[in-house]
Amino acid sequence: MSIRSDIGKTLRYAGRNGVIDTYYAARERIKEKVADLKVSEDTVSEDELARQRRISARLSAGETPEAVFGVSTALREAPLISLLVPAYETPEPFLLALMMSVFSQTYGNWELVIADASLSDRVSELANRFDDSRIVYRRLASNGGISANTNEAAVIARGDYVAFLDHDDILTPDAVFEIAKRIMITGCEIVYSDEDKCDETGKRFFERNIKPDFNLDYLLANNYICHFLAMRRGLFLALKLRSEFDGAQDYDLLLRAPKSSIEHVPRILYHWRVHSGSTAGDPQSKDYAVEAGKRALESYFSDAGVSAVVSHSRHRGFYRIDYEPDLFGARADVGVIGGKVLNRHHRIIGGAYDEEGKLLFAGLHERESGPSHRADTRQDVSAVDVRCMKIRPELEYVYEEVFHCPYSGHVMLGSEDYRELSIEFCRRAAQIGYLVVFEPAMTRVV
């Protein structure tokens, strides 16, 4: 993006959040831009791509996934993946790049379903150039918008699963293979991958979005799943996209979907193209999507019977959920809430821990938001620090067993064992079935 665009973004951010927050946000953004210059696209070796093609050929010949992968699998045969592309007056270079990225897939059991709402013949002429039975082209009678057009594509599709592609983006060669493999092994209903952005030429890659495994509270704060997303076709047809949430239709879909069978492939499989006409590159399109996302969240809580107020956070596309009366009262699934432990310089020295016991966001300033704003966003974690922790009453007996004292708020402040005991307490709470939630608005200086 241009310097002028960056300056405009900074001024708008300052108008919303003030000078101090803007200083820390700009400093982080500069660090990210420097990192982008050093990081290129995740590439897979030609040997690995050849191996995937051999596996795909064996699956196409009728071998079972269990025999091919050498592990127990949930599916007995390879699934057909329908790639759904709602198209509207797509510039030929963009659609051609997308189609070539699909043709280069190492997994062959796919179909490309193009639902074309264009007034011109530019999309149909390009689609008809290719003699491949896996291309399914349908000219729509009218342009119903992205949700309606995608729904029509899903009805046309024959796949066991549908995956969603914007008409100007690009897949990595191993994208469908990795998605299909995870489906075959786990039998999941929904699967998603990491992603990044690419420039208009499709040659420069930046803003790597390395996502967590499924995380309910992070999803309630941001549509972090986004691309590359696949869903069992039967489930999609039962839910479908809703046109009133166009701009955040995939977010609304995920909020309404079952949350018990969602898998994450921790690889960048999708390049989201940034150009003047894309949501990624157009501030007005982003604002439209952000407002649609807020409405989707409000609808989700209303349907669930949960009293909550949804507001915009200081990061565009991220939301703050204020529950009535509080998080414990509104959510029976939440057992532990913890925040940031700061030193006198307001740097993070304790707080949220991952499954290996590593401190998340270590050393960040209290006002810094970290990668994908995760240091400044409510989310589920493996453990939080007892020095800045709240628990629901049902867990007080577990607290007493672990800490050998009654729960009375941060009694471990002077103990060197607080880290290990915090992790053990949260582990036991999770075993009972409770979520451990990191709440960045909670802070304690020690």
Side-chain angles (χ1 to χ4, degrees):
M1 303 300 286
S2 67
I3 294 176
R4 179 179 295 180
S5 174
D6 286 341
I7 292 173
K9 288 180 181 178
T10 302
L11 292 175
R12 288 191 294 271
Y13 188 93
R16 295 195 307 270
N17 302 303
V19 175
I20 295 176
D21 280 351
T22 301
Y23 164 75
Y24 284 102
R27 190 170 70 170
E28 284 193 282
R29 183 60 180 152
I30 290 170
K31 290 179 182 177
E32 290 172 1
K33 283 187 173 293
V34 171
D36 283 341
L37 295 175
K38 298 177 181 178
V39 177
S40 60
E41 173 194 5
D42 274 1
T43 55
V44 182
S45 70
E46 287 301 322
D47 286 346
E48 172 59 20
L49 294 177
R51 186 187 73 86
Q52 292 179 8
R53 291 188 181 96
R54 290 194 297 270
I55 289 174
S56 179
R58 291 174 61 187
L59 291 167
S60 296
E63 289 193 55
T64 65
E66 185 168 321
V68 169
F69 293 112
V71 297
S72 177
T73 60
L75 270 61
R76 295 183 177 181
E77 59 184 22
L80 174 62
I81 309 294
S82 295
L83 305 168
L84 308 185
V85 180
Y88 180 77
E89 303 294 359
T90 313
E92 180 178 314
F94 293 167
L95 183 57
L96 178 59
L98 179 145
M99 295 180 72
M100 296 309 294
S101 77
V102 173
F103 292 139
S104 71
Q105 293 300 303
T106 58
Y107 182 84
N109 197 20
W110 54 261
E111 64 173 5
L112 178 63
V113 182
I114 302 174
D116 180 20
S118 303
L119 297 176
S120 72
D121 294 327
R122 63 165 65 173
V123 173
S124 62
E125 288 174 354
L126 179 57
N128 290 330
R129 286 186 207 169
F130 299 92
D131 183 19
D132 191 320
S133 61
R134 295 175 298 178
I135 298 176
V136 180
Y137 174 84
R138 176 68 60 87
R139 188 68 168 264
L140 302 181
S142 62
N143 181 17
I146 189 168
S147 292
N149 297 351
T150 304
N151 289 341
E152 289 206 43
V155 172
I156 299 165
R158 300 178 297 109
D160 305 290
Y161 286 75
V162 292
F164 309 101
L165 277 173
D166 288 346
H167 61 169
D168 48 4
D169 295 339
I170 307 172
L171 291 179
T172 65
D174 58 333
V176 182
F177 178 90
E178 293 289 356
I179 292 293
K181 178 181 178 182
R182 186 60 60 95
I183 289 170
M184 284 182 272
I185 291 174
T186 67
C188 60
E189 298 257 328
I190 300 169
V191 58
Y192 65 96
S193 76
D194 298 341
E195 65 186 274
D196 64 10
K197 292 186 174 71
C198 67
D199 64 5
E200 190 161 342
T201 69
K203 302 295 184 183
R204 188 174 73 85
F205 305 91
F206 54 97
E207 291 188 24
R208 295 155 59 91
N209 188 356
I210 307 304
K211 306 170 187 177
D213 289 345
F214 179 70
N215 191 305
L216 176 60
D217 281 279
Y218 192 48
L219 181 65
L220 295 177
N222 170 251
N223 180 19
Y224 78 92
I225 290 179
C226 205
H227 308 299
F228 183 36
L229 172 67
M231 178 180 288
R232 190 184 296 276
R233 179 169 172 266
L235 175 60
F236 178 81
L237 291 175
L239 296 172
K240 291 193 173 180
L241 299 177
R242 302 195 290 187
S243 294
E244 58 265 39
F245 300 103
D246 275 2
Q249 69 284 342
D250 55 342
Y251 194 24
D252 172 64
L253 176 70
L254 286 165
L255 290 171
R256 291 182 290 122
K259 310 297 191 296
S260 59
S261 185
I262 302 179
E263 288 285 321
H264 169 221
V265 177
R267 285 195 55 80
I268 291 175
L269 304 179
Y270 194 101
H271 304 309
W272 190 9
R273 192 190 297 269
V274 177
H275 59 88
S276 59
S278 70
T279 303
D282 182 356
Q284 290 186 336
S285 293
K286 284 183 179 178
D287 290 342
Y288 170 73
V290 167
E291 291 301 326
K294 181 174 181 290
R295 295 197 309 274
L297 277 167
E298 290 168 342
S299 175
Y300 166 79
F301 286 116
S302 176
D303 291 345
V306 174
S307 296
V309 176
V310 181
S311 56
H312 298 290
S313 84
R314 65 190 180 113
H315 311 293
R316 186 164 59 171
F318 286 72
Y319 307 95
R320 172 76 190 178
I321 312 299
D322 292 304
Y323 294 94
E324 300 172 10
D326 60 17
L327 188 52
F328 287 137
R331 297 265 305 277
D333 57 337
V334 176
V336 186
I337 307 172
K340 300 174 183 175
V341 180
L342 310 169
N343 64 15
R344 61 188 180 89
H345 301 293
H346 288 260
R347 298 281 175 181
I348 295 174
I349 59 171
Y353 299 93
D354 67 14
E355 59 276 5
E356 297 177 354
K358 179 183 177 182
L359 174 63
L360 301 174
F361 323 124
L364 286 183
H365 188 275
E366 177 184 9
R367 291 180 181 269
E368 292 179 315
S369 63
S372 301
H373 304 306
R374 290 187 64 189
D376 199 31
T377 304
R378 183 184 290 155
Q379 64 204 265
D380 306 322
V381 294
S382 292
V384 290
D385 198 311
V386 70
R387 296 174 294 175
C388 188
M389 176 191 287
K390 297 178 182 178
I391 69 173
R392 65 164 56 253
E394 292 90 332
L395 286 173
E396 288 188 12
Y397 80 94
V398 179
Y399 185 97
E400 293 182 13
E401 290 176 0
V402 173
F403 294 107
H404 304 294
C405 60
Y407 173 69
S408 56
H410 316 304
V411 296
M412 300 301 296
L413 185 59
S415 171
E416 294 181 356
D417 296 330
Y418 67 86
R419 180 187 183 113
E420 290 74 15
L421 293 176
S422 297
I423 292 171
E424 173 61 17
F425 169 70
C426 291
R427 184 187 66 80
R428 291 181 60 176
Q431 283 183 329
I432 296 171
Y434 288 111
L435 292 175
V436 178
V437 177
F438 171 63
E439 173 51 76
M442 283 176 59
T443 61
R444 182 167 188 172
V445 178
V446 298

